[in-house]
Amino acid sequence: MEIFGREYDAESERQKGVEEFYRLQHINQTYDFVKRMREEYGKLDKAEMGIWECCELLNELVDESDPDLDEPQIQHLLQSAETIRKDYPNEDWLHLTALIHDLGKILALPSFGELPQWAVVGDTFPLGCAFDESNVHHKYFKDNPDYKCPAYSTKNGIYTEGCGLDNIVMSWGHDDYMYMVAKANGTTLPSAGLFIIRYHSFYPLHKEGAYTHFMNEEDVENLKWLKIFNKYDLYSKSKVLVDVEKVKPYYVSLIEKYFPAKVRW
C-alpha cells in the first residue's frame, strides 16, 4: 500500500504542477504577447540546422505540461511516426509530420530564447475573441488582460465567421513556431501536414468541437487528418523503445524529400 500511496502522491503533485502551468499560460498569453513573439521568431535568426539535427537537439527537453511523458522526446516522435507508418504506409508526408510536429519545443532551450514552458507547450487557443468554456482550467482567463477588452469579448471578436483558421491569432507555442519555420523554409509538405503541425495542441477544436465557426472548407478537410493523427500522438507513448539508428535512414530520406538540407530557425 505504501508504494501505491507514494505513486498517488507523485501523481497528485504532478497534476498540481499542470494546473499551475495553465494558470500562468492563461494569464500571460495575450494578443499583444503573441504578436511580439511572431515578430521576434519570424526573423528565423536563431540557428541554421537540418531537421534530423533538431530532433536530436530536442532530447535535452522535458515537457512539463505532459503528465505521461518520461521518455526522451525523440522516442515519442518516432513512436508516433512508426505507428502511423504501419497503418498508413503510403502517406509518407504523414510519417514525417509525426516526426517533426513537436520540434518547435526547442523554444525552451537557451539558444532559442529559453521561453517559459507556458510560452512553449500546453493546449493552444485563439486570441482576439472570447475564451471558450471548453478551454482547460478556463477560470484562470479572468486574470488575462484581454478578458476585459470589449473588442475581444464576443464569440467572433475581431474575426468573421468562416474566415479560416489561418487568419486567427493562436496562443504562442511550439505549434505555431514550427509551422512558421516549415512554411518560411519552403517545405513541400501538403497543407494537411502544415495544419497538423500548427493545430495539434488546439484541443478545444479537435477534442471539444469549439471554435469551428471560424473554419473554412480547407480547414474542414484538414481537420479529418488532424483527428487521425491525434489518435497516434496521444496513444503511442509506449514503453517499447524504437531503435533510432535502424529507422533513421528512412526518416532522413523523407526530410530530404520535403525540406531543404539546412533550415533557418
Side-chain angles (χ1 to χ4, degrees), residues 29-30 34-35 38 124-127 159 165 167-173 176 198-199 201-202 204-205 211:
Q29 288 271 5
T30 64
V34 173
K35 285 292 198 187
R38 279 186 168 184
T124 58
F125 48 86
L127 292 150
Y159 310 111
L165 293 179
N167 291 303
I168 303 292
V169 172
M170 297 293 295
S171 56
W172 177 253
D176 219 22
R198 194 175 197 183
Y199 300 113
S201 303
F202 190 6
L205 175 80
Y211 299 106

mmCIF file with all atom_site columns, all heavy atoms in Angstrom, residues 29-30 34-35 38 124-127 159 165 167-173 176 198-199 201-202 204-205 211:
data_model
loop_
_atom_site.group_PDB
_atom_site.id
_atom_site.type_symbol
_atom_site.label_atom_id
_atom_site.label_alt_id
_atom_site.label_comp_id
_atom_site.label_asym_id
_atom_site.label_entity_id
_atom_site.label_seq_id
_atom_site.pdbx_PDB_ins_code
_atom_site.Cartn_x
_atom_site.Cartn_y
_atom_site.Cartn_z
_atom_site.occupancy
_atom_site.B_iso_or_equiv
_atom_site.pdbx_formal_charge
_atom_site.auth_seq_id
_atom_site.auth_comp_id
_atom_site.auth_asym_id
_atom_site.auth_atom_id
_atom_site.pdbx_PDB_model_num
ATOM 1   N N   . GLN A 1 29  ? -0.745  34.666 -21.897 1.00 0.00 ? 29  GLN A N   1
ATOM 2   C CA  . GLN A 1 29  ? -0.899  34.601 -23.357 1.00 0.00 ? 29  GLN A CA  1
ATOM 3   C C   . GLN A 1 29  ? -1.946  35.630 -23.781 1.00 0.00 ? 29  GLN A C   1
ATOM 4   O O   . GLN A 1 29  ? -3.145  35.369 -23.725 1.00 0.00 ? 29  GLN A O   1
ATOM 5   C CB  . GLN A 1 29  ? -1.331  33.193 -23.780 1.00 0.00 ? 29  GLN A CB  1
ATOM 6   C CG  . GLN A 1 29  ? -0.241  32.147 -23.654 1.00 0.00 ? 29  GLN A CG  1
ATOM 7   C CD  . GLN A 1 29  ? 0.618   32.008 -24.910 1.00 0.00 ? 29  GLN A CD  1
ATOM 8   O OE1 . GLN A 1 29  ? 0.475   32.754 -25.890 1.00 0.00 ? 29  GLN A OE1 1
ATOM 9   N NE2 . GLN A 1 29  ? 1.530   31.056 -24.873 1.00 0.00 ? 29  GLN A NE2 1
ATOM 10  N N   . THR A 1 30  ? -1.471  36.789 -24.214 1.00 0.00 ? 30  THR A N   1
ATOM 11  C CA  . THR A 1 30  ? -2.373  37.843 -24.689 1.00 0.00 ? 30  THR A CA  1
ATOM 12  C C   . THR A 1 30  ? -2.164  38.061 -26.191 1.00 0.00 ? 30  THR A C   1
ATOM 13  O O   . THR A 1 30  ? -1.148  37.621 -26.751 1.00 0.00 ? 30  THR A O   1
ATOM 14  C CB  . THR A 1 30  ? -2.107  39.177 -23.969 1.00 0.00 ? 30  THR A CB  1
ATOM 15  O OG1 . THR A 1 30  ? -0.777  39.605 -24.314 1.00 0.00 ? 30  THR A OG1 1
ATOM 16  C CG2 . THR A 1 30  ? -2.225  39.032 -22.452 1.00 0.00 ? 30  THR A CG2 1
ATOM 17  N N   . VAL A 1 34  ? 1.466   37.533 -28.278 1.00 0.00 ? 34  VAL A N   1
ATOM 18  C CA  . VAL A 1 34  ? 1.623   36.652 -29.445 1.00 0.00 ? 34  VAL A CA  1
ATOM 19  C C   . VAL A 1 34  ? 2.159   37.430 -30.644 1.00 0.00 ? 34  VAL A C   1
ATOM 20  O O   . VAL A 1 34  ? 3.042   36.954 -31.360 1.00 0.00 ? 34  VAL A O   1
ATOM 21  C CB  . VAL A 1 34  ? 0.285   35.970 -29.807 1.00 0.00 ? 34  VAL A CB  1
ATOM 22  C CG1 . VAL A 1 34  ? 0.416   35.192 -31.108 1.00 0.00 ? 34  VAL A CG1 1
ATOM 23  C CG2 . VAL A 1 34  ? -0.149  35.032 -28.686 1.00 0.00 ? 34  VAL A CG2 1
ATOM 24  N N   . LYS A 1 35  ? 1.647   38.632 -30.850 1.00 0.00 ? 35  LYS A N   1
ATOM 25  C CA  . LYS A 1 35  ? 2.137   39.457 -31.962 1.00 0.00 ? 35  LYS A CA  1
ATOM 26  C C   . LYS A 1 35  ? 3.647   39.700 -31.829 1.00 0.00 ? 35  LYS A C   1
ATOM 27  O O   . LYS A 1 35  ? 4.390   39.624 -32.814 1.00 0.00 ? 35  LYS A O   1
ATOM 28  C CB  . LYS A 1 35  ? 1.392   40.802 -31.999 1.00 0.00 ? 35  LYS A CB  1
ATOM 29  C CG  . LYS A 1 35  ? -0.027  40.684 -32.528 1.00 0.00 ? 35  LYS A CG  1
ATOM 30  C CD  . LYS A 1 35  ? -0.031  40.329 -34.000 1.00 0.00 ? 35  LYS A CD  1
ATOM 31  C CE  . LYS A 1 35  ? -1.352  40.622 -34.667 1.00 0.00 ? 35  LYS A CE  1
ATOM 32  N NZ  . LYS A 1 35  ? -1.394  40.120 -36.045 1.00 0.00 ? 35  LYS A NZ  1
ATOM 33  N N   . ARG A 1 38  ? 5.533   36.384 -32.577 1.00 0.00 ? 38  ARG A N   1
ATOM 34  C CA  . ARG A 1 38  ? 5.532   36.083 -34.018 1.00 0.00 ? 38  ARG A CA  1
ATOM 35  C C   . ARG A 1 38  ? 6.542   36.949 -34.766 1.00 0.00 ? 38  ARG A C   1
ATOM 36  O O   . ARG A 1 38  ? 7.204   36.486 -35.690 1.00 0.00 ? 38  ARG A O   1
ATOM 37  C CB  . ARG A 1 38  ? 4.134   36.312 -34.597 1.00 0.00 ? 38  ARG A CB  1
ATOM 38  C CG  . ARG A 1 38  ? 3.180   35.168 -34.353 1.00 0.00 ? 38  ARG A CG  1
ATOM 39  C CD  . ARG A 1 38  ? 1.881   35.428 -35.087 1.00 0.00 ? 38  ARG A CD  1
ATOM 40  N NE  . ARG A 1 38  ? 1.018   34.268 -35.130 1.00 0.00 ? 38  ARG A NE  1
ATOM 41  C CZ  . ARG A 1 38  ? -0.140  34.230 -35.795 1.00 0.00 ? 38  ARG A CZ  1
ATOM 42  N NH1 . ARG A 1 38  ? -0.548  35.292 -36.452 1.00 0.00 ? 38  ARG A NH1 1
ATOM 43  N NH2 . ARG A 1 38  ? -0.880  33.149 -35.792 1.00 0.00 ? 38  ARG A NH2 1
ATOM 44  N N   . THR A 1 124 ? -3.462  24.925 -26.998 1.00 0.00 ? 124 THR A N   1
ATOM 45  C CA  . THR A 1 124 ? -3.492  26.265 -27.596 1.00 0.00 ? 124 THR A CA  1
ATOM 46  C C   . THR A 1 124 ? -4.942  26.727 -27.783 1.00 0.00 ? 124 THR A C   1
ATOM 47  O O   . THR A 1 124 ? -5.876  25.918 -27.756 1.00 0.00 ? 124 THR A O   1
ATOM 48  C CB  . THR A 1 124 ? -2.769  26.287 -28.954 1.00 0.00 ? 124 THR A CB  1
ATOM 49  O OG1 . THR A 1 124 ? -3.382  25.330 -29.826 1.00 0.00 ? 124 THR A OG1 1
ATOM 50  C CG2 . THR A 1 124 ? -1.293  25.968 -28.786 1.00 0.00 ? 124 THR A CG2 1
ATOM 51  N N   . PHE A 1 125 ? -5.111  28.031 -27.970 1.00 0.00 ? 125 PHE A N   1
ATOM 52  C CA  . PHE A 1 125 ? -6.458  28.622 -28.096 1.00 0.00 ? 125 PHE A CA  1
ATOM 53  C C   . PHE A 1 125 ? -6.342  29.942 -28.845 1.00 0.00 ? 125 PHE A C   1
ATOM 54  O O   . PHE A 1 125 ? -5.286  30.589 -28.839 1.00 0.00 ? 125 PHE A O   1
ATOM 55  C CB  . PHE A 1 125 ? -7.065  28.858 -26.707 1.00 0.00 ? 125 PHE A CB  1
ATOM 56  C CG  . PHE A 1 125 ? -6.128  29.543 -25.736 1.00 0.00 ? 125 PHE A CG  1
ATOM 57  C CD1 . PHE A 1 125 ? -6.030  30.923 -25.690 1.00 0.00 ? 125 PHE A CD1 1
ATOM 58  C CD2 . PHE A 1 125 ? -5.316  28.785 -24.903 1.00 0.00 ? 125 PHE A CD2 1
ATOM 59  C CE1 . PHE A 1 125 ? -5.151  31.547 -24.815 1.00 0.00 ? 125 PHE A CE1 1
ATOM 60  C CE2 . PHE A 1 125 ? -4.422  29.401 -24.031 1.00 0.00 ? 125 PHE A CE2 1
ATOM 61  C CZ  . PHE A 1 125 ? -4.342  30.786 -23.979 1.00 0.00 ? 125 PHE A CZ  1
ATOM 62  N N   . PRO A 1 126 ? -7.437  30.383 -29.489 1.00 0.00 ? 126 PRO A N   1
ATOM 63  C CA  . PRO A 1 126 ? -7.414  31.660 -30.209 1.00 0.00 ? 126 PRO A CA  1
ATOM 64  C C   . PRO A 1 126 ? -7.401  32.861 -29.264 1.00 0.00 ? 126 PRO A C   1
ATOM 65  O O   . PRO A 1 126 ? -7.947  32.804 -28.156 1.00 0.00 ? 126 PRO A O   1
ATOM 66  C CB  . PRO A 1 126 ? -8.727  31.645 -30.997 1.00 0.00 ? 126 PRO A CB  1
ATOM 67  C CG  . PRO A 1 126 ? -9.139  30.224 -31.056 1.00 0.00 ? 126 PRO A CG  1
ATOM 68  C CD  . PRO A 1 126 ? -8.664  29.628 -29.765 1.00 0.00 ? 126 PRO A CD  1
ATOM 69  N N   . LEU A 1 127 ? -6.782  33.932 -29.724 1.00 0.00 ? 127 LEU A N   1
ATOM 70  C CA  . LEU A 1 127 ? -6.821  35.222 -29.032 1.00 0.00 ? 127 LEU A CA  1
ATOM 71  C C   . LEU A 1 127 ? -7.521  36.221 -29.945 1.00 0.00 ? 127 LEU A C   1
ATOM 72  O O   . LEU A 1 127 ? -7.612  36.014 -31.143 1.00 0.00 ? 127 LEU A O   1
ATOM 73  C CB  . LEU A 1 127 ? -5.408  35.674 -28.690 1.00 0.00 ? 127 LEU A CB  1
ATOM 74  C CG  . LEU A 1 127 ? -4.774  34.771 -27.619 1.00 0.00 ? 127 LEU A CG  1
ATOM 75  C CD1 . LEU A 1 127 ? -3.283  34.696 -27.786 1.00 0.00 ? 127 LEU A CD1 1
ATOM 76  C CD2 . LEU A 1 127 ? -5.149  35.243 -26.236 1.00 0.00 ? 127 LEU A CD2 1
ATOM 77  N N   . TYR A 1 159 ? -12.729 38.815 -35.505 1.00 0.00 ? 159 TYR A N   1
ATOM 78  C CA  . TYR A 1 159 ? -12.765 37.990 -36.719 1.00 0.00 ? 159 TYR A CA  1
ATOM 79  C C   . TYR A 1 159 ? -14.183 37.915 -37.291 1.00 0.00 ? 159 TYR A C   1
ATOM 80  O O   . TYR A 1 159 ? -15.131 38.418 -36.693 1.00 0.00 ? 159 TYR A O   1
ATOM 81  C CB  . TYR A 1 159 ? -12.258 36.569 -36.408 1.00 0.00 ? 159 TYR A CB  1
ATOM 82  C CG  . TYR A 1 159 ? -10.940 36.554 -35.675 1.00 0.00 ? 159 TYR A CG  1
ATOM 83  C CD1 . TYR A 1 159 ? -10.867 36.146 -34.341 1.00 0.00 ? 159 TYR A CD1 1
ATOM 84  C CD2 . TYR A 1 159 ? -9.757  36.952 -36.305 1.00 0.00 ? 159 TYR A CD2 1
ATOM 85  C CE1 . TYR A 1 159 ? -9.654  36.122 -33.655 1.00 0.00 ? 159 TYR A CE1 1
ATOM 86  C CE2 . TYR A 1 159 ? -8.541  36.934 -35.630 1.00 0.00 ? 159 TYR A CE2 1
ATOM 87  C CZ  . TYR A 1 159 ? -8.489  36.533 -34.303 1.00 0.00 ? 159 TYR A CZ  1
ATOM 88  O OH  . TYR A 1 159 ? -7.307  36.520 -33.633 1.00 0.00 ? 159 TYR A OH  1
ATOM 89  N N   . LEU A 1 165 ? -9.037  29.344 -40.220 1.00 0.00 ? 165 LEU A N   1
ATOM 90  C CA  . LEU A 1 165 ? -8.161  29.326 -39.038 1.00 0.00 ? 165 LEU A CA  1
ATOM 91  C C   . LEU A 1 165 ? -6.840  30.033 -39.306 1.00 0.00 ? 165 LEU A C   1
ATOM 92  O O   . LEU A 1 165 ? -6.201  30.556 -38.398 1.00 0.00 ? 165 LEU A O   1
ATOM 93  C CB  . LEU A 1 165 ? -7.895  27.877 -38.591 1.00 0.00 ? 165 LEU A CB  1
ATOM 94  C CG  . LEU A 1 165 ? -9.109  27.120 -38.047 1.00 0.00 ? 165 LEU A CG  1
ATOM 95  C CD1 . LEU A 1 165 ? -8.714  25.699 -37.654 1.00 0.00 ? 165 LEU A CD1 1
ATOM 96  C CD2 . LEU A 1 165 ? -9.724  27.846 -36.861 1.00 0.00 ? 165 LEU A CD2 1
ATOM 97  N N   . ASN A 1 167 ? -6.363  32.784 -40.445 1.00 0.00 ? 167 ASN A N   1
ATOM 98  C CA  . ASN A 1 167 ? -6.466  34.210 -40.097 1.00 0.00 ? 167 ASN A CA  1
ATOM 99  C C   . ASN A 1 167 ? -6.641  34.463 -38.603 1.00 0.00 ? 167 ASN A C   1
ATOM 100 O O   . ASN A 1 167 ? -6.765  35.607 -38.175 1.00 0.00 ? 167 ASN A O   1
ATOM 101 C CB  . ASN A 1 167 ? -7.638  34.838 -40.856 1.00 0.00 ? 167 ASN A CB  1
ATOM 102 C CG  . ASN A 1 167 ? -7.357  34.913 -42.343 1.00 0.00 ? 167 ASN A CG  1
ATOM 103 O OD1 . ASN A 1 167 ? -6.368  35.499 -42.756 1.00 0.00 ? 167 ASN A OD1 1
ATOM 104 N ND2 . ASN A 1 167 ? -8.190  34.272 -43.153 1.00 0.00 ? 167 ASN A ND2 1
ATOM 105 N N   . ILE A 1 168 ? -6.659  33.384 -37.822 1.00 0.00 ? 168 ILE A N   1
ATOM 106 C CA  . ILE A 1 168 ? -6.862  33.503 -36.373 1.00 0.00 ? 168 ILE A CA  1
ATOM 107 C C   . ILE A 1 168 ? -5.506  33.558 -35.665 1.00 0.00 ? 168 ILE A C   1
ATOM 108 O O   . ILE A 1 168 ? -4.607  32.770 -35.980 1.00 0.00 ? 168 ILE A O   1
ATOM 109 C CB  . ILE A 1 168 ? -7.659  32.284 -35.835 1.00 0.00 ? 168 ILE A CB  1
ATOM 110 C CG1 . ILE A 1 168 ? -9.000  32.153 -36.568 1.00 0.00 ? 168 ILE A CG1 1
ATOM 111 C CG2 . ILE A 1 168 ? -7.841  32.363 -34.329 1.00 0.00 ? 168 ILE A CG2 1
ATOM 112 C CD1 . ILE A 1 168 ? -10.005 33.227 -36.311 1.00 0.00 ? 168 ILE A CD1 1
ATOM 113 N N   . VAL A 1 169 ? -5.350  34.487 -34.738 1.00 0.00 ? 169 VAL A N   1
ATOM 114 C CA  . VAL A 1 169 ? -4.129  34.549 -33.928 1.00 0.00 ? 169 VAL A CA  1
ATOM 115 C C   . VAL A 1 169 ? -4.260  33.538 -32.783 1.00 0.00 ? 169 VAL A C   1
ATOM 116 O O   . VAL A 1 169 ? -5.143  33.654 -31.936 1.00 0.00 ? 169 VAL A O   1
ATOM 117 C CB  . VAL A 1 169 ? -3.903  35.978 -33.369 1.00 0.00 ? 169 VAL A CB  1
ATOM 118 C CG1 . VAL A 1 169 ? -2.743  36.008 -32.374 1.00 0.00 ? 169 VAL A CG1 1
ATOM 119 C CG2 . VAL A 1 169 ? -3.649  36.954 -34.513 1.00 0.00 ? 169 VAL A CG2 1
ATOM 120 N N   . MET A 1 170 ? -3.394  32.516 -32.812 1.00 0.00 ? 170 MET A N   1
ATOM 121 C CA  . MET A 1 170 ? -3.417  31.476 -31.782 1.00 0.00 ? 170 MET A CA  1
ATOM 122 C C   . MET A 1 170 ? -2.412  31.803 -30.683 1.00 0.00 ? 170 MET A C   1
ATOM 123 O O   . MET A 1 170 ? -1.429  32.516 -30.920 1.00 0.00 ? 170 MET A O   1
ATOM 124 C CB  . MET A 1 170 ? -3.032  30.125 -32.398 1.00 0.00 ? 170 MET A CB  1
ATOM 125 C CG  . MET A 1 170 ? -3.988  29.611 -33.455 1.00 0.00 ? 170 MET A CG  1
ATOM 126 S SD  . MET A 1 170 ? -5.620  29.172 -32.787 1.00 0.00 ? 170 MET A SD  1
ATOM 127 C CE  . MET A 1 170 ? -5.205  27.788 -31.718 1.00 0.00 ? 170 MET A CE  1
ATOM 128 N N   . SER A 1 171 ? -2.654  31.252 -29.485 1.00 0.00 ? 171 SER A N   1
ATOM 129 C CA  . SER A 1 171 ? -1.671  31.415 -28.409 1.00 0.00 ? 171 SER A CA  1
ATOM 130 C C   . SER A 1 171 ? -0.306  30.918 -28.902 1.00 0.00 ? 171 SER A C   1
ATOM 131 O O   . SER A 1 171 ? -0.230  29.996 -29.722 1.00 0.00 ? 171 SER A O   1
ATOM 132 C CB  . SER A 1 171 ? -2.116  30.643 -27.163 1.00 0.00 ? 171 SER A CB  1
ATOM 133 O OG  . SER A 1 171 ? -2.344  29.284 -27.455 1.00 0.00 ? 171 SER A OG  1
ATOM 134 N N   . TRP A 1 172 ? 0.762   31.528 -28.398 1.00 0.00 ? 172 TRP A N   1
ATOM 135 C CA  . TRP A 1 172 ? 2.100   31.241 -28.901 1.00 0.00 ? 172 TRP A CA  1
ATOM 136 C C   . TRP A 1 172 ? 2.676   29.973 -28.273 1.00 0.00 ? 172 TRP A C   1
ATOM 137 O O   . TRP A 1 172 ? 2.543   29.741 -27.074 1.00 0.00 ? 172 TRP A O   1
ATOM 138 C CB  . TRP A 1 172 ? 3.039   32.413 -28.611 1.00 0.00 ? 172 TRP A CB  1
ATOM 139 C CG  . TRP A 1 172 ? 4.442   32.128 -29.042 1.00 0.00 ? 172 TRP A CG  1
ATOM 140 C CD1 . TRP A 1 172 ? 5.521   31.854 -28.251 1.00 0.00 ? 172 TRP A CD1 1
ATOM 141 C CD2 . TRP A 1 172 ? 4.918   32.069 -30.394 1.00 0.00 ? 172 TRP A CD2 1
ATOM 142 N NE1 . TRP A 1 172 ? 6.632   31.630 -29.026 1.00 0.00 ? 172 TRP A NE1 1
ATOM 143 C CE2 . TRP A 1 172 ? 6.295   31.749 -30.339 1.00 0.00 ? 172 TRP A CE2 1
ATOM 144 C CE3 . TRP A 1 172 ? 4.311   32.237 -31.647 1.00 0.00 ? 172 TRP A CE3 1
ATOM 145 C CZ2 . TRP A 1 172 ? 7.085   31.605 -31.493 1.00 0.00 ? 172 TRP A CZ2 1
ATOM 146 C CZ3 . TRP A 1 172 ? 5.090   32.097 -32.790 1.00 0.00 ? 172 TRP A CZ3 1
ATOM 147 C CH2 . TRP A 1 172 ? 6.455   31.789 -32.703 1.00 0.00 ? 172 TRP A CH2 1
ATOM 148 N N   . GLY A 1 173 ? 3.325   29.175 -29.112 1.00 0.00 ? 173 GLY A N   1
ATOM 149 C CA  . GLY A 1 173 ? 3.974   27.980 -28.597 1.00 0.00 ? 173 GLY A CA  1
ATOM 150 C C   . GLY A 1 173 ? 4.679   27.220 -29.701 1.00 0.00 ? 173 GLY A C   1
ATOM 151 O O   . GLY A 1 173 ? 4.910   27.749 -30.792 1.00 0.00 ? 173 GLY A O   1
ATOM 152 N N   . ASP A 1 176 ? 2.853   26.860 -33.466 1.00 0.00 ? 176 ASP A N   1
ATOM 153 C CA  . ASP A 1 176 ? 2.908   27.975 -34.409 1.00 0.00 ? 176 ASP A CA  1
ATOM 154 C C   . ASP A 1 176 ? 4.342   28.243 -34.868 1.00 0.00 ? 176 ASP A C   1
ATOM 155 O O   . ASP A 1 176 ? 4.580   28.580 -36.022 1.00 0.00 ? 176 ASP A O   1
ATOM 156 C CB  . ASP A 1 176 ? 2.309   29.240 -33.760 1.00 0.00 ? 176 ASP A CB  1
ATOM 157 C CG  . ASP A 1 176 ? 1.487   30.056 -34.755 1.00 0.00 ? 176 ASP A CG  1
ATOM 158 O OD1 . ASP A 1 176 ? 1.036   29.472 -35.772 1.00 0.00 ? 176 ASP A OD1 1
ATOM 159 O OD2 . ASP A 1 176 ? 1.285   31.252 -34.521 1.00 0.00 ? 176 ASP A OD2 1
ATOM 160 N N   . ARG A 1 198 ? 0.499   22.905 -36.986 1.00 0.00 ? 198 ARG A N   1
ATOM 161 C CA  . ARG A 1 198 ? 0.055   24.168 -36.400 1.00 0.00 ? 198 ARG A CA  1
ATOM 162 C C   . ARG A 1 198 ? -1.041  24.023 -35.341 1.00 0.00 ? 198 ARG A C   1
ATOM 163 O O   . ARG A 1 198 ? -1.126  24.837 -34.419 1.00 0.00 ? 198 ARG A O   1
ATOM 164 C CB  . ARG A 1 198 ? -0.451  25.083 -37.518 1.00 0.00 ? 198 ARG A CB  1
ATOM 165 C CG  . ARG A 1 198 ? -0.615  26.514 -37.067 1.00 0.00 ? 198 ARG A CG  1
ATOM 166 C CD  . ARG A 1 198 ? -1.000  27.411 -38.220 1.00 0.00 ? 198 ARG A CD  1
ATOM 167 N NE  . ARG A 1 198 ? -0.768  28.807 -37.880 1.00 0.00 ? 198 ARG A NE  1
ATOM 168 C CZ  . ARG A 1 198 ? -1.069  29.829 -38.669 1.00 0.00 ? 198 ARG A CZ  1
ATOM 169 N NH1 . ARG A 1 198 ? -1.606  29.606 -39.848 1.00 0.00 ? 198 ARG A NH1 1
ATOM 170 N NH2 . ARG A 1 198 ? -0.834  31.060 -38.297 1.00 0.00 ? 198 ARG A NH2 1
ATOM 171 N N   . TYR A 1 199 ? -1.871  22.979 -35.475 1.00 0.00 ? 199 TYR A N   1
ATOM 172 C CA  . TYR A 1 199 ? -3.053  22.902 -34.609 1.00 0.00 ? 199 TYR A CA  1
ATOM 173 C C   . TYR A 1 199 ? -3.138  21.624 -33.762 1.00 0.00 ? 199 TYR A C   1
ATOM 174 O O   . TYR A 1 199 ? -4.174  21.359 -33.172 1.00 0.00 ? 199 TYR A O   1
ATOM 175 C CB  . TYR A 1 199 ? -4.332  23.049 -35.448 1.00 0.00 ? 199 TYR A CB  1
ATOM 176 C CG  . TYR A 1 199 ? -4.385  24.360 -36.193 1.00 0.00 ? 199 TYR A CG  1
ATOM 177 C CD1 . TYR A 1 199 ? -4.314  24.409 -37.587 1.00 0.00 ? 199 TYR A CD1 1
ATOM 178 C CD2 . TYR A 1 199 ? -4.462  25.578 -35.502 1.00 0.00 ? 199 TYR A CD2 1
ATOM 179 C CE1 . TYR A 1 199 ? -4.340  25.620 -38.273 1.00 0.00 ? 199 TYR A CE1 1
ATOM 180 C CE2 . TYR A 1 199 ? -4.483  26.796 -36.184 1.00 0.00 ? 199 TYR A CE2 1
ATOM 181 C CZ  . TYR A 1 199 ? -4.424  26.811 -37.561 1.00 0.00 ? 199 TYR A CZ  1
ATOM 182 O OH  . TYR A 1 199 ? -4.437  28.002 -38.239 1.00 0.00 ? 199 TYR A OH  1
ATOM 183 N N   . SER A 1 201 ? -2.072  20.961 -30.898 1.00 0.00 ? 201 SER A N   1
ATOM 184 C CA  . SER A 1 201 ? -2.362  21.235 -29.473 1.00 0.00 ? 201 SER A CA  1
ATOM 185 C C   . SER A 1 201 ? -3.657  22.022 -29.280 1.00 0.00 ? 201 SER A C   1
ATOM 186 O O   . SER A 1 201 ? -3.983  22.406 -28.161 1.00 0.00 ? 201 SER A O   1
ATOM 187 C CB  . SER A 1 201 ? -1.208  22.032 -28.838 1.00 0.00 ? 201 SER A CB  1
ATOM 188 O OG  . SER A 1 201 ? 0.018   21.355 -28.976 1.00 0.00 ? 201 SER A OG  1
ATOM 189 N N   . PHE A 1 202 ? -4.390  22.256 -30.357 1.00 0.00 ? 202 PHE A N   1
ATOM 190 C CA  . PHE A 1 202 ? -5.635  23.033 -30.304 1.00 0.00 ? 202 PHE A CA  1
ATOM 191 C C   . PHE A 1 202 ? -6.788  22.090 -29.897 1.00 0.00 ? 202 PHE A C   1
ATOM 192 O O   . PHE A 1 202 ? -7.721  21.857 -30.650 1.00 0.00 ? 202 PHE A O   1
ATOM 193 C CB  . PHE A 1 202 ? -5.868  23.675 -31.681 1.00 0.00 ? 202 PHE A CB  1
ATOM 194 C CG  . PHE A 1 202 ? -6.970  24.699 -31.755 1.00 0.00 ? 202 PHE A CG  1
ATOM 195 C CD1 . PHE A 1 202 ? -7.658  25.148 -30.628 1.00 0.00 ? 202 PHE A CD1 1
ATOM 196 C CD2 . PHE A 1 202 ? -7.321  25.239 -32.997 1.00 0.00 ? 202 PHE A CD2 1
ATOM 197 C CE1 . PHE A 1 202 ? -8.676  26.091 -30.726 1.00 0.00 ? 202 PHE A CE1 1
ATOM 198 C CE2 . PHE A 1 202 ? -8.343  26.184 -33.118 1.00 0.00 ? 202 PHE A CE2 1
ATOM 199 C CZ  . PHE A 1 202 ? -9.019  26.596 -31.966 1.00 0.00 ? 202 PHE A CZ  1
ATOM 200 N N   . PRO A 1 204 ? -9.298  22.399 -27.784 1.00 0.00 ? 204 PRO A N   1
ATOM 201 C CA  . PRO A 1 204 ? -10.689 22.891 -27.783 1.00 0.00 ? 204 PRO A CA  1
ATOM 202 C C   . PRO A 1 204 ? -11.372 22.655 -29.135 1.00 0.00 ? 204 PRO A C   1
ATOM 203 O O   . PRO A 1 204 ? -12.564 22.370 -29.195 1.00 0.00 ? 204 PRO A O   1
ATOM 204 C CB  . PRO A 1 204 ? -10.537 24.385 -27.492 1.00 0.00 ? 204 PRO A CB  1
ATOM 205 C CG  . PRO A 1 204 ? -9.256  24.482 -26.712 1.00 0.00 ? 204 PRO A CG  1
ATOM 206 C CD  . PRO A 1 204 ? -8.360  23.422 -27.293 1.00 0.00 ? 204 PRO A CD  1
ATOM 207 N N   . LEU A 1 205 ? -10.599 22.730 -30.224 1.00 0.00 ? 205 LEU A N   1
ATOM 208 C CA  . LEU A 1 205 ? -11.166 22.493 -31.554 1.00 0.00 ? 205 LEU A CA  1
ATOM 209 C C   . LEU A 1 205 ? -11.335 21.002 -31.815 1.00 0.00 ? 205 LEU A C   1
ATOM 210 O O   . LEU A 1 205 ? -12.444 20.523 -32.042 1.00 0.00 ? 205 LEU A O   1
ATOM 211 C CB  . LEU A 1 205 ? -10.266 23.090 -32.643 1.00 0.00 ? 205 LEU A CB  1
ATOM 212 C CG  . LEU A 1 205 ? -10.725 22.776 -34.076 1.00 0.00 ? 205 LEU A CG  1
ATOM 213 C CD1 . LEU A 1 205 ? -11.865 23.699 -34.493 1.00 0.00 ? 205 LEU A CD1 1
ATOM 214 C CD2 . LEU A 1 205 ? -9.584  22.883 -35.074 1.00 0.00 ? 205 LEU A CD2 1
ATOM 215 N N   . TYR A 1 211 ? -14.884 26.590 -31.485 1.00 0.00 ? 211 TYR A N   1
ATOM 216 C CA  . TYR A 1 211 ? -14.264 27.492 -32.478 1.00 0.00 ? 211 TYR A CA  1
ATOM 217 C C   . TYR A 1 211 ? -14.452 27.030 -33.936 1.00 0.00 ? 211 TYR A C   1
ATOM 218 O O   . TYR A 1 211 ? -13.801 27.564 -34.837 1.00 0.00 ? 211 TYR A O   1
ATOM 219 C CB  . TYR A 1 211 ? -12.766 27.665 -32.197 1.00 0.00 ? 211 TYR A CB  1
ATOM 220 C CG  . TYR A 1 211 ? -12.435 28.266 -30.848 1.00 0.00 ? 211 TYR A CG  1
ATOM 221 C CD1 . TYR A 1 211 ? -11.914 27.468 -29.819 1.00 0.00 ? 211 TYR A CD1 1
ATOM 222 C CD2 . TYR A 1 211 ? -12.630 29.617 -30.584 1.00 0.00 ? 211 TYR A CD2 1
ATOM 223 C CE1 . TYR A 1 211 ? -11.589 28.008 -28.567 1.00 0.00 ? 211 TYR A CE1 1
ATOM 224 C CE2 . TYR A 1 211 ? -12.310 30.168 -29.343 1.00 0.00 ? 211 TYR A CE2 1
ATOM 225 C CZ  . TYR A 1 211 ? -11.791 29.354 -28.341 1.00 0.00 ? 211 TYR A CZ  1
ATOM 226 O OH  . TYR A 1 211 ? -11.467 29.895 -27.117 1.00 0.00 ? 211 TYR A OH  1
#
